[in-house]
Amino acid sequence: MDLPTLNRAGDRPAARWWTKVPPAAGSAVMATGIVSVGLNLVGRETSSQVLLALAAAGWLLLALAFALTLLRDRDRWAANAATPPALTAVAATAVVGTRFSLAGWQSTAAVLLAIAAAAWPPLLISVLRHWKHHLPGVAFLVCVATEGLAVLAGTLALAGSGDWLAPAALAAFALGLVLYVAALLRFDVRQVLTGAGDQWISAGALAICALAGSKLTAWPEWTGAGHTVLRDATLVLLTLDLAGYLVLLAAEIRRPRLRYNIRRWATVFPLGMSAVATLSTGSAAHLPWLNGLGHPLLWIAAGAWLITALALVRDLARARRTAPSGGA
């Protein structure tokens, strides 16, 4: 029987747990964080805080894995950074930061914005350099990560943490829209019927664009024609998101994919983001009926989060039972 390979420090494989954390694991933090945001918006504060704690713990774990990989295995880090899932590091940081801002922890949210903004350029450039055609839904993470910065910057601006953050959010919002179009041109539309979960990011990216637009629409310093353009653009983006939501849902019904896959967290995130974008747009655009629509969308997202979390626990338990003795 082959003996497990030891690293240079003589560690057992279990000591190198960070090598087992895939970049796509960031989508679980994104999903948990955005459902927490949604629960906060509808006044379910206890449930929201529980999910915030889980999202923050997951973020810390992923940040540690990210740092250890960078310090101890540069080749692995470079390989991971060349793939779109690496951008979940930026998006997850922005989502958790947004929830902290809503909780009143503006300094913590500002630090997370700085971390996300620092990580965004090298990761985005690395991903774009390795882009190909006929990509799965993770291609839209170039948009999601960029718009995540816009959402967090806009949230902090509305919380009084700096007026300069509003134009910065507007710039990220505009760039995110450009990146969405670029990703759409490379997206393999067959993934709508065959994808393992990340195909939903095609709609989730539109949802986070709408959420960023709603933050900009709510900025009190912008009035007149500029405000009208932002409001109308946000409503168009939300409409496109909800249309995509229905198309993807119909595809899931036509061809069910019920087995757990880590990419299913990339389904939960768009579900939660669509609910939050609907609620936020309803408030910013003064359209109460959107608030009525946002509530059932949020409960769908919360249910999907619970089902996916239970599937993850079951999958981990099964893997632990079947792992060879002495394995990680």
Side-chain angles (χ1 to χ4, degrees), residues 164-286:
W164 66 273
L165 288 168
L170 179 61
F173 171 68
L175 178 57
L177 294 178
V178 173
L179 290 171
Y180 183 88
V181 175
L184 183 62
L185 294 175
R186 290 165 174 78
F187 178 53
D188 183 356
V189 294
R190 294 172 296 182
Q191 289 288 309
V192 172
L193 285 174
T194 63
D198 59 308
Q199 72 276 9
W200 278 84
I201 307 178
S202 59
L206 288 170
I208 197 171
C209 288
L211 179 57
S214 72
K215 299 292 184 180
L216 296 170
T217 300
W219 180 243
E221 301 298 323
W222 291 336
T223 58
H227 179 269
T228 301
V229 170
L230 281 171
R231 180 182 183 275
D232 291 347
T234 299
L235 291 172
V236 169
L237 289 167
L238 182 62
T239 300
L240 292 173
D241 164 48
L242 295 177
Y245 187 119
L246 292 175
V247 170
L248 289 161
L249 180 60
E252 293 277 4
I253 294 172
R254 178 180 177 183
R255 185 175 292 183
R257 284 146 277 179
L258 302 179
R259 188 171 182 176
Y260 175 76
N261 186 299
I262 193 172
R263 284 174 286 184
R264 271 305 177 193
W265 288 108
T267 299
V268 179
F269 173 73
L271 294 177
M273 185 56 73
S274 295
V276 170
T278 302
L279 291 167
S280 184
T281 301
S283 297
H286 305 292

Side-chain angles (χ1 to χ4, degrees), residues 9-320:
D11 295 332
R12 294 181 62 80
R16 303 185 67 191
W17 60 268
W18 42 273
T19 66
K20 308 297 182 182
V21 180
S27 61
V29 177
M30 294 162 59
T32 305
I34 199 61
V35 174
S36 175
V37 170
L39 291 170
N40 171 263
L41 293 179
V42 299
R44 301 285 182 168
E45 194 59 29
T46 301
S47 299
S48 177
Q49 290 178 357
V50 169
L51 290 187
L52 173 59
L54 290 174
W59 184 88
L60 288 171
L61 181 68
L62 292 175
L64 181 58
F66 185 93
L68 287 172
T69 304
L70 178 62
L71 293 173
R72 301 179 65 179
D73 195 341
R74 292 291 181 89
D75 290 340
R76 180 189 294 274
W77 189 91
N80 288 341
T83 63
L87 287 166
T88 61
V90 176
T93 303
V95 170
V96 173
T98 298
R99 180 61 186 89
F100 274 122
S101 179
L102 294 176
W105 294 29
Q106 307 309 332
S107 297
T108 301
V111 170
L112 290 174
L113 175 60
I115 293 172
W120 173 73
L123 290 176
L124 180 65
I125 292 170
S126 179
V127 169
L128 292 178
R129 285 179 57 195
H130 295 86
W131 251 16
K132 298 178 181 179
H133 289 279
H134 307 294
L135 293 171
V138 290
F140 292 96
L141 285 171
V142 297
C143 169
V144 171
T146 306
E147 293 291 351
L149 296 176
V151 169
L152 179 50
T155 303
L156 282 167
L158 290 170
S161 296
D163 290 353
W164 66 273
L165 288 168
L170 179 61
F173 171 68
L175 178 57
L177 294 178
V178 173
L179 290 171
Y180 183 88
V181 175
L184 183 62
L185 294 175
R186 290 165 174 78
F187 178 53
D188 183 356
V189 294
R190 294 172 296 182
Q191 289 288 309
V192 172
L193 285 174
T194 63
D198 59 308
Q199 72 276 9
W200 278 84
I201 307 178
S202 59
L206 288 170
I208 197 171
C209 288
L211 179 57
S214 72
K215 299 292 184 180
L216 296 170
T217 300
W219 180 243
E221 301 298 323
W222 291 336
T223 58
H227 179 269
T228 301
V229 170
L230 281 171
R231 180 182 183 275
D232 291 347
T234 299
L235 291 172
V236 169
L237 289 167
L238 182 62
T239 300
L240 292 173
D241 164 48
L242 295 177
Y245 187 119
L246 292 175
V247 170
L248 289 161
L249 180 60
E252 293 277 4
I253 294 172
R254 178 180 177 183
R255 185 175 292 183
R257 284 146 277 179
L258 302 179
R259 188 171 182 176
Y260 175 76
N261 186 299
I262 193 172
R263 284 174 286 184
R264 271 305 177 193
W265 288 108
T267 299
V268 179
F269 173 73
L271 294 177
M273 185 56 73
S274 295
V276 170
T278 302
L279 291 167
S280 184
T281 301
S283 297
H286 305 292
L287 296 173
W289 64 271
L290 282 178
N291 291 321
L293 175 61
H295 279 74
L297 290 177
L298 178 61
W299 299 127
I300 291 172
W305 182 92
L306 181 60
I307 292 170
T308 307
L310 292 174
L312 171 60
V313 171
R314 185 182 64 179
D315 193 68
L316 291 174
R318 182 183 297 127
R320 186 178 180 85

